Amino acid sequence: MTENELSVEVLSLSLRCQQGVASEEDRARLEYLLSDSEQARLIYSGVVSDTVTLSEVANKNAMLFPSGENAEDVSGAVSPVALGKDLRPVRKGSWQFLLALAALVLIATWAVATFSEKESRNVAQHPARPLARIVHLEEVQWHAGSVEYDEWSAVNSGDTLKFDSGMLELVVEDSIQVVIQGPAEFELVSSEKAIARSGKLAARIGEEGIGFEIETPHAHVVDQGTAFSISVSPDKQTDVVVYEGMVDLAARDNSKADLEERPTYRRLQSGEGLRVDSQGGLNRITSVGARDFLPPLRLGREAVRPSRLIASVTDNVSSMDTSKYYRVMGKGFAEDCLSYVDRLHQWNGIDHRGIPAFLRGADYVMTFNDDKVLGDLQIAIEVTQPVSMYVLWDDRIESPEWLTKDFSDTGWDIGLDEGYNDRVPDKSRKTAIGSGKSVDFVFSIWKQDVMQASTVLLGSVQQDHIDEIPREVSQSMYSIAVAPLRGQGYNASK
């Protein structure tokens, strides 16, 4: 696809999404382009930086067009002023906001083309853009005495966002996207650094923002081109989990007289997380759920719910040996959902029928695919009520005794669509959208009915440890899904 073709497709899909006429395939295609193409993301960066200027010019020159809700010019075209009433920014989340901006840019670009030379000079004279902008506010209650901001407000060096509840979204220098949930206090120091004194945040940082640092009362977090989440409890700890890419993490030692001394960093990669306590100690975060962390920033803002069926996920791996975590997805099992915390693989139906009905909307655990080489792994799943527990097992691997003893093969299968990002050597693996498409391997679905709230112990894929590099081993780790036992439903008391 040429650069021009990519631009046309991205803007076309954006407009359909903003107008509410996009199909699920349209939205999935747009998300794929944004995740797969740096050029597609750059189009959005330009949209974010240009829209404020263009809309201000359009408003300033509204006198050039007839007023009124259905105003038309002499050629019969609807005026940008009237169109703007229907195409104002959508307030439903990160990517929806950007989609709305893309549509507005199309309109504003057409309008600017009709302005006089004098009005064009007004655009050129527009003051320098701010360091950042608040692009979305959701039920924000600002802290008493703090500065209050509106959507589209500029945020510059030294400005502090302090609020008691709600959520806001900040775009810094076009390449840094941060969502913050209150109660929170967040200070933007520069284009290279911010201070998070409290609250939960999720960030996605592009290549131009690599090196951006977030300092907390307990830690330094330096981005290396990634998507990650931070939870700051100012008196206790800072928790950091990496969804994609890498970050460098160091405990902040406030006892040192020379605070300029460079701390010792530890690199965390996709699927890894660590807690830094108030004494500077590092501890593994075993599982990640929606109650404790904001989800990664995705198209339409990923709808992640806390699990009411899975109380905890733990294993027998020493916290000194790993910093991996299990991600618990409440009601998250669906077509094209992610399979592992350390891969971009997805679950898909093996044909046009899609994933089996009994798995749709189930709670599930994103396991760590590299664990497929461990020979003595044990995973403990604590459930809160009677459930049907499913294990998705790679058909390339012989079924172990622990699986055949406690689970039965349902006779149903599901497909694994493998995908890799551009940070690993193999760029040939690309995922597709929809059931029966790009299915690379088939997994059998095994089931056990758990009759009461209890803990279920699962074993390892291998009987013996494999010393090969996990990515070179042609097999995959199993996954775990949990649904209410038929006739039970969710226990409302939980």
Side-chain angles (χ1 to χ4, degrees):
M1 180 183 296
T2 67
E3 182 176 327
N4 183 62
E5 290 172 337
L6 177 63
S7 299
V8 170
E9 184 173 9
V10 169
L11 289 175
S12 175
L13 289 169
S14 300
L15 184 57
R16 291 206 291 274
C17 288
Q18 194 278 333
Q19 292 175 327
V21 297
S23 65
E24 288 301 316
E25 288 193 359
D26 287 337
R27 294 181 182 277
R29 173 62 177 170
L30 180 56
E31 180 173 340
Y32 173 80
L33 291 173
L34 293 174
S35 64
D36 186 63
S37 168
E38 179 66 22
Q39 182 62 34
R41 293 190 291 271
L42 288 175
I43 294 172
Y44 277 110
S45 296
V47 168
V48 172
S49 62
D50 292 343
T51 299
V52 175
T53 300
L54 289 171
S55 61
E56 286 178 354
V57 171
N59 289 335
K60 184 175 182 180
N61 290 278
M63 66 193 71
L64 297 179
F65 300 91
S67 61
E69 189 167 338
N70 297 311
E72 295 185 351
D73 64 17
V74 294
S75 66
V78 180
S79 76
V81 177
L83 283 171
K85 294 182 179 179
D86 293 326
L87 295 176
R88 61 187 181 277
V90 179
R91 302 185 178 186
K92 288 188 178 178
S94 164
W95 289 114
Q96 288 176 310
F97 162 76
L98 292 177
L99 299 180
L101 290 183
L104 183 56
V105 165
L106 292 175
I107 298 164
T109 302
W110 170 79
V112 170
T114 69
F115 293 160
S116 65
E117 182 178 349
K118 175 181 177 181
E119 298 303 329
S120 296
R121 285 198 296 270
N122 287 336
V123 179
Q125 294 169 0
H126 190 80
R129 64 181 180 177
L131 179 60
R133 281 194 183 275
I134 293 176
V135 298
H136 177 63
L137 292 172
E138 187 173 310
E139 299 180 352
V140 170
Q141 295 293 322
W142 297 100
H143 186 72
S146 66
V147 177
E148 297 186 8
Y149 294 84
D150 297 320
E151 285 190 351
W152 293 101
S153 292
V155 180
N156 286 299
S157 178
D159 290 348
T160 296
L161 309 173
K162 188 173 183 179
F163 54 105
D164 297 330
S165 62
M167 186 177 295
L168 65 79
E169 182 173 349
L170 190 70
V171 174
V172 184
E173 288 286 293
D174 297 341
S175 60
I176 300 168
Q177 178 190 9
V178 185
V179 170
I180 310 167
Q181 184 181 61
E185 183 175 351
F186 184 89
E187 177 185 348
L188 184 60
V189 177
S190 68
S191 61
E192 298 177 348
K193 183 178 180 179
I195 300 174
R197 297 185 175 91
S198 61
K200 300 176 184 177
L201 67 87
R204 179 174 290 279
I205 300 179
E207 291 184 6
E208 293 184 2
I210 288 177
F212 186 75
E213 177 184 358
I214 298 179
E215 179 184 301
T216 79
H218 321 98
H220 301 273
V221 181
V222 180
D223 169 77
Q224 298 299 330
T226 188
F228 61 94
S229 184
I230 299 176
S231 182
V232 182
S233 178
D235 298 330
K236 296 180 180 180
Q237 66 212 24
T238 294
D239 293 347
V240 181
V241 296
V242 182
Y243 295 127
E244 180 184 336
M246 300 175 291
V247 303
D248 290 334
L249 172 67
R252 181 180 173 186
D253 189 349
N254 295 316
S255 65
K256 290 185 178 179
D258 183 8
L259 294 180
E260 296 300 320
E261 181 180 341
R262 180 174 174 80
T264 301
Y265 284 91
R266 174 168 174 172
R267 177 153 293 181
L268 298 180
Q269 304 192 56
S270 299
E272 296 184 325
L274 283 176
R275 169 171 295 162
V276 184
D277 63 30
S278 59
Q279 304 302 313
L282 299 179
N283 297 282
R284 177 190 174 196
I285 298 171
T286 305
S287 61
V288 172
R291 288 188 180 88
D292 302 314
F293 295 93
L294 294 182
L297 307 180
R298 294 171 63 99
L299 181 62
R301 191 161 295 157
E302 188 177 72
V304 177
R305 305 173 180 86
S307 173
R308 290 187 288 171
L309 300 178
I310 302 173
S312 67
V313 184
T314 57
D315 61 30
N316 62 337
V317 181
S318 169
S319 60
M320 300 299 293
D321 296 334
T322 184
S323 51
K324 71 179 183 183
Y325 61 80
Y326 298 98
R327 189 163 176 223
V328 181
M329 309 291 284
K331 295 187 177 181
F333 205 95
E335 203 74 53
D336 300 302
C337 68
L338 290 174
S339 309
Y340 306 105
V341 292
D342 58 338
R343 299 290 195 277
L344 296 181
H345 304 352
Q346 299 176 353
W347 294 118
N348 284 111
I350 60 174
D351 54 33
H352 68 279
R353 295 174 297 174
I355 62 174
F358 55 81
L359 283 181
R360 295 173 193 162
D363 293 7
Y364 80 106
V365 179
M366 291 172 61
T367 55
F368 206 76
N369 200 20
D370 280 0
D371 280 352
K372 62 190 177 183
V373 300
L374 299 182
D376 56 355
L377 177 68
Q378 289 186 325
I379 300 176
I381 311 293
E382 182 185 357
V383 296
T384 62
Q385 66 178 68
V387 299
S388 291
M389 182 175 293
Y390 300 94
V391 171
L392 314 185
W393 188 265
D394 190 339
D395 281 350
R396 293 171 292 177
I397 310 170
E398 184 178 352
S399 303
E401 182 180 356
W402 67 262
L403 181 66
T404 57
K405 176 183 176 183
D406 297 326
F407 291 77
S408 58
D409 191 340
T410 64
W412 289 86
D413 294 326
I414 195 167
L416 184 70
D417 183 4
E418 292 196 345
Y420 297 102
N421 60 25
D422 57 8
R423 294 185 178 87
V424 298
D426 187 356
K427 298 181 182 181
S428 63
R429 292 283 192 183
K430 300 291 184 181
T431 56
I433 302 300
S435 60
K437 299 179 181 178
S438 186
V439 172
D440 295 298
F441 300 104
V442 175
F443 283 58
S444 298
I445 302 174
W446 295 67
K447 175 186 176 183
Q448 176 187 172
D449 286 337
V450 183
M451 305 310 295
Q452 61 184 3
S454 58
T455 298
V456 179
L457 194 63
L458 308 179
S460 60
V461 169
Q462 299 295 331
Q463 292 185 355
D464 299 309
H465 183 86
I466 297 178
D467 293 326
E468 297 179 51
I469 298 173
R471 285 188 182 271
E472 296 180 357
V473 176
S474 297
Q475 61 188 39
S476 292
M477 178 63 179
Y478 58 82
S479 190
I480 306 148
V482 175
L485 192 63
R486 183 171 295 182
Q488 296 288 326
Y490 276 114
N491 187 336
S493 66
K494 297 294 182 180

